[in-house]
Amino acid sequence: MTDQTDLLQNAARRATRYLDALPQRAIWPSDAALAALEGFVEPLQREPVPAETVLARLDQLGSPATVASAGPRYFGYVVGGALPATVAANWLATAWDQNVHHWAGSPVGAQLEEVALGWICDLAGLPAGTGGAFVTGASIANLCALAAARHALLARLGWDVEARGLYGAPEIRIVAGEEVHSTLLKAIALLGFGRERVVRVPADGQGRMRADALPANSGPTIVCLQAGDVNAGACDPLAEIIPAAHAAGAWVHVDAAFGFWAIASPRHAPLVAGLGLADSWATDAHKWLNVPYDCGLALVRDPLALQGAMSIRAAYLPDDDRREPSRFGPELSRRARGVAVWAALKHLGRDGLAALVERCCEHARRFATGLAAAGHAVLNDVVLNQVLVSFGSPERTRRVLAAVQAEGTCWCSGTVWRGQTAMRISVTSWATTKEDVDRSLAAILRIAAEQV
Ligand SMILES: *Cc1c(COP(=O)(O)O)cnc(C)c1O
């Protein structure tokens, strides 16, 4: 065996040992593990160190200081665990070390992205030929989709925004819901639209944009909708708003970072009815599709709008008729993100994806039922995978949350939702079982009873 084989097998052994131990481990690293991170803080030495030593140090200091977010009882934020099939595919893809800027950089990387993109469009009822970019996550997917919208709306008015910029350009009005995700506002800021110029539409009690409150048409407009509120999981009434916005000539973008995948489940698809009517979408693969970080998708109905915003030409780069990845996204050099997406979809199939979504939602309902039965206030309609619970006063809710996080059985994060302090439970991993829910629920209820 070569040194390289030894090293990679050593890494695989360490990684599998790590993953096997996850279900037994406290979710948050111990104080000792965090203190040991100081061990990394040292001057860079002059001489090389053997790769085995580097790996051993990483495992010894690093592994204990990880958050067990890949494990079955992590319910913080909206993260999703990585399916073993996607971890394995990513390992292989890392060994390939492909650069998917163009087909010429990686035929296999480009091919798998195109196939995965086609499958996703088909699953979601988006037209074949929809433009797509594999990006780092929904933040950048929102940015790319809105850049495509900016390109298309201004091109219609005879303004080449990529060439001339926004100075002196016709104004574009941005409309977004009261509960719009902060990364969408960041994209708006980065694109030069100005956060404070966004027209905010009031939301209903669940955080959904109110269709009756949509402002009247006035000039070129981008309407930003949301499928899957990051707190409540609620989805804007897409089927109602999109046709109305289109009738007024607007471009409609849907931030569907995790809500997108509801479309895969017959039971939950009605929540996102009308999704396919929009002009652009942002979604994450590293959340509910359960692939490793970093992986999201920008989807744009008119591929030329996305290309118009993103395409570059250089004498040394290929110039042909293929779907060249870098013509659709913000990056040139990048890793083969589509490999893990392809692996997730190929592994799960349509039925497996539906089952993953449904299982997470069922677990969320189980949490909600258990918490309500014990007299705690569940603040949202648990329509998807998100549960918001209050333990009375904001102070007590924060105390319970901190105690749950410290106790280690499970990990949830906190939020303030429509003025109410809440603990936020997000069920987004293939690995979570009913037993994990029951064990976590028992821990939460016991801890809440102790916090008077
Ligand atoms: C998570 C999330 C984002 C941001 O996605 P990243 O992958 O973290 O960049 C945007 N919008 C919504 C609704 C989200 O849930």
Side-chain angles (χ1 to χ4, degrees):
M1 280 197 301
T2 63
D3 285 356
Q4 177 165 282
T5 308
D6 275 349
L7 176 68
L8 294 182
Q9 287 181 348
N10 184 351
R13 265 196 314 277
R14 289 178 187 275
T16 46
R17 189 168 62 212
Y18 174 80
L19 290 175
D20 287 346
L22 267 186
Q24 286 73 254
R25 216 199 92 167
I27 311 296
W28 189 255
S30 67
D31 289 344
L34 293 176
L37 285 176
E38 283 299 315
F40 283 125
V41 183
E42 58 182 354
L44 180 59
Q45 83 287 346
R46 184 160 291 279
E47 67 287 358
V49 167
E52 297 275 356
T53 311
V54 173
L55 183 68
R57 190 165 179 77
L58 189 61
D59 193 20
Q60 276 150 18
L61 294 181
S63 293
T66 54
V67 175
S69 47
R73 290 185 305 283
Y74 186 82
F75 308 111
Y77 309 104
V78 186
V79 298
L83 288 157
T86 69
V87 175
N90 241 20
W91 281 359
L92 188 57
T94 298
W96 289 349
D97 195 24
Q98 299 290 283
N99 186 343
V100 195
H101 53 96
H102 287 79
W103 171 276
S106 177
V108 62
Q111 178 76 64
L112 289 175
E113 289 190 358
E114 204 168 330
V115 169
L117 189 60
W119 286 350
I120 288 167
C121 289
D122 188 38
L123 263 175
L126 314 186
T130 292
F134 286 77
V135 294
T136 50
S139 300
I140 301 301
N142 277 326
L143 180 76
C144 294
L146 293 178
R150 184 178 71 166
H151 171 90
L153 290 181
L154 289 177
R156 275 178 218 164
L157 299 168
W159 187 271
D160 180 346
V161 69
E162 284 73 31
R164 302 170 74 183
L166 276 182
Y167 299 108
E171 273 203 35
I172 292 180
R173 191 175 57 146
I174 313 281
V175 175
E178 202 183 324
E179 296 288 338
V180 63
H181 196 269
S182 47
T183 60
L184 196 118
L185 294 175
K186 185 195 257 188
I188 285 166
L190 286 169
L191 288 166
F193 290 133
R195 272 178 227 265
E196 289 182 6
R197 290 179 58 259
V198 177
V199 180
R200 299 292 280 268
V201 184
D204 68 11
Q206 292 300 316
R208 293 170 297 219
M209 185 190 279
R210 274 176 40 204
D212 63 343
L214 205 65
N217 178 34
S218 79
T221 300
I222 303 171
V223 175
C224 302
L225 303 179
Q226 181 161 265
D229 177 88
V230 78
N231 286 306
C235 299
D236 290 344
L238 307 177
E240 209 177 330
I241 296 179
I242 298 175
H246 277 165
W251 176 290
V252 181
H253 171 69
V254 185
D255 177 358
F258 63 97
F260 188 89
W261 304 99
I263 199 88
S265 140
R267 175 164 180 179
H268 298 92
L271 266 180
V272 291
L275 182 73
L277 300 173
D279 300 287
S280 61
W281 305 263
T283 190
D284 267 318
H286 60 214
K287 287 180 181 168
W288 223 350
L289 191 58
N290 281 200
V291 314
Y293 293 96
D294 44 29
C295 196
L297 272 151
L299 301 163
V300 178
R301 175 183 299 278
D302 174 7
L304 294 177
L306 187 56
Q307 282 193 60
M310 297 294 163
S311 201
I312 51 166
R313 304 244 175 245
Y316 76 97
L317 295 173
D319 188 15
D320 54 47
D321 296 332
R322 291 184 191 279
R323 180 197 171 274
E324 295 292 9
S326 70
R327 288 198 193 133
F328 294 88
E331 296 150 314
L332 186 57
S333 298
R334 64 172 174 81
R335 69 190 189 87
R337 292 197 183 102
V339 174
V341 176
W342 171 85
L345 292 168
K346 182 70 193 167
H347 169 63
L348 292 169
R350 288 170 184 270
D351 290 349
L353 182 56
L356 168 64
V357 169
E358 280 167 20
R359 200 165 60 242
C360 289
C361 295
E362 205 175 294
H363 292 334
R365 289 194 297 273
R366 194 171 177 85
F367 267 120
T369 306
L371 290 162
H376 303 301
V378 174
L379 304 178
N380 62 322
D381 291 346
V382 181
V383 293
L384 211 58
N385 61 323
Q386 301 286 114
V387 183
L388 300 172
V389 57
S390 157
F391 296 96
S393 68
E395 297 71 31
R396 179 158 184 254
T397 300
R398 281 195 288 269
R399 268 203 318 276
V400 172
L401 175 61
V404 166
Q405 291 176 344
E407 191 263 354
T409 301
C410 66
W411 206 92
C412 308
S413 46
T415 193
V416 176
W417 187 68
R418 304 191 76 71
Q420 287 179 283
T421 299
M423 184 170 93
R424 176 166 166 268
I425 303 170
S426 175
V427 192
T428 333
S429 175
W430 67 275
T432 305
T433 64
K434 204 163 96 177
E435 290 66 40
D436 288 312
V437 175
D438 289 346
R439 203 173 135 190
S440 303
L441 194 53
I444 294 168
L445 295 180
R446 183 171 39 75
I447 289 164
E450 287 161 9
Q451 298 289 327
V452 283

